[in-house]
Amino acid sequence: MGKLLNVSSPVMRVMARVTDLVILNTLFILTALPLITIGASLCALQTNLQKILRHRESGLVRDYFRVFKQNFKQATLLWMGILLLVFILFADFRLINRLPIPVEFLLGVAAGILAILLAVVAIYGFAYLGRYENSMKMMLRNVIVLSLQNLFQTIFLLVFNGFVIYFTISSPEALLTMIYVFTFGGFAVVNLASAVMIKQVFDRIEKNKKAD
């Protein structure tokens, strides 16, 4: 029993990680409630998950608010840009059906490509802002490039996050279930799954930089 309750035992390490995820999930919900701050909240959440994966976490709450404050301007700008483009794409898809078939096909393909690029930026962008210091223009360029250079991770992230969103809005019952799940750790767990893949991408970038 003593070994089981030892701080360094596997059981206690797992419990510590679960506690960290619950804390991060709670912080994310509280800071994202104003809605306009969701970008900064995602940046802080993803950055702290990266630190946990690298076993470099210290002062979880302090680090969360430090990242939130440092990246608030860029993350909020990115978030508002994403929302604007999502609204435009939604309006486009509603209007495309009324156009002649050739025009509908071309605009549909263009809108689909833009939607994929937007999803890539949304998935990688906030984690990138929390780890690297770049201008918004450079960040967007680098995110697109690294997503193409790491197609396996990118496809996984698109499919995984797409499935979570699709399931959440698939029915009223699923929505209620996911609201419950997200309230008690779901945001942190879903982002942790994404963070594992994003870490592989970032590690590859940093390894190549060291080699140069």
Side-chain angles (χ1 to χ4, degrees):
M1 189 67 178
K3 290 183 179 179
L4 188 64
L5 296 177
N6 190 291
V7 176
S8 59
S9 70
V11 173
M12 293 303 291
R13 287 201 297 269
V14 170
M15 290 179 65
R17 287 292 170 261
V18 171
T19 302
D20 288 342
L21 292 177
V22 171
I23 291 172
L24 284 175
N25 197 80
T26 303
L27 290 173
F28 174 79
I29 292 174
L30 292 176
T31 55
L33 281 176
L35 299 183
I36 196 174
T37 58
I38 289 177
S41 300
L42 280 170
C43 182
L45 176 60
Q46 272 289 338
T47 302
N48 277 273
L49 288 172
Q50 290 293 326
K51 289 182 178 180
I52 288 175
L53 290 174
R54 290 177 167 79
H55 307 289
R56 296 176 184 172
E57 73 278 11
S58 60
L60 196 65
V61 177
R62 183 185 68 248
D63 280 354
Y64 182 94
F65 284 106
R66 178 182 58 79
V67 176
F68 182 92
K69 181 179 179 181
Q70 284 181 350
N71 297 280
F72 182 84
K73 184 177 179 180
Q74 281 189 312
T76 302
L77 182 62
L78 177 61
W79 170 243
M80 297 306 292
I82 289 171
L83 283 184
L84 177 61
L85 288 175
V86 167
F87 175 78
I88 293 173
L89 280 172
F90 178 76
D92 283 346
F93 279 119
R94 293 287 296 269
L95 293 172
I96 284 173
N97 294 330
R98 304 178 183 179
L99 298 173
I101 293 178
V103 178
E104 177 185 343
F105 175 77
L106 291 175
L107 290 179
V109 171
I113 293 172
L114 181 57
I116 292 173
L117 291 175
L118 185 60
V120 166
V121 171
I123 290 169
Y124 283 109
F126 298 105
Y128 186 97
L129 285 177
R131 189 159 183 83
Y132 307 106
E133 291 186 12
N134 282 136
S135 65
M136 187 64 70
K137 181 179 179 180
M138 184 63 71
M139 180 276 293
L140 292 172
R141 175 189 172 279
N142 289 343
V143 162
I144 297 300
V145 171
L146 67 85
S147 68
L148 293 173
Q149 291 176 340
N150 299 272
L151 280 177
F152 172 78
Q153 288 83 355
T154 299
I155 292 171
F156 172 87
L157 289 166
L158 288 171
V159 172
F160 172 72
N161 286 279
F163 173 78
V164 171
I165 294 171
Y166 173 78
F167 177 79
T168 300
I169 63 176
S170 61
S171 68
E173 294 78 11
L175 179 60
L176 289 174
T177 300
M178 293 307 288
I179 288 174
Y180 179 83
V181 171
F182 285 141
T183 301
F184 296 99
F187 286 115
V189 172
V190 169
N191 276 275
L192 178 61
S194 294
V196 171
M197 286 295 175
I198 294 172
K199 177 181 178 296
Q200 293 179 12
V201 174
F202 288 171
D203 286 348
R204 185 174 298 175
I205 295 172
E206 291 160 17
K207 183 179 179 180
N208 290 338
K209 283 184 178 180
K210 289 180 180 178
D212 294 339

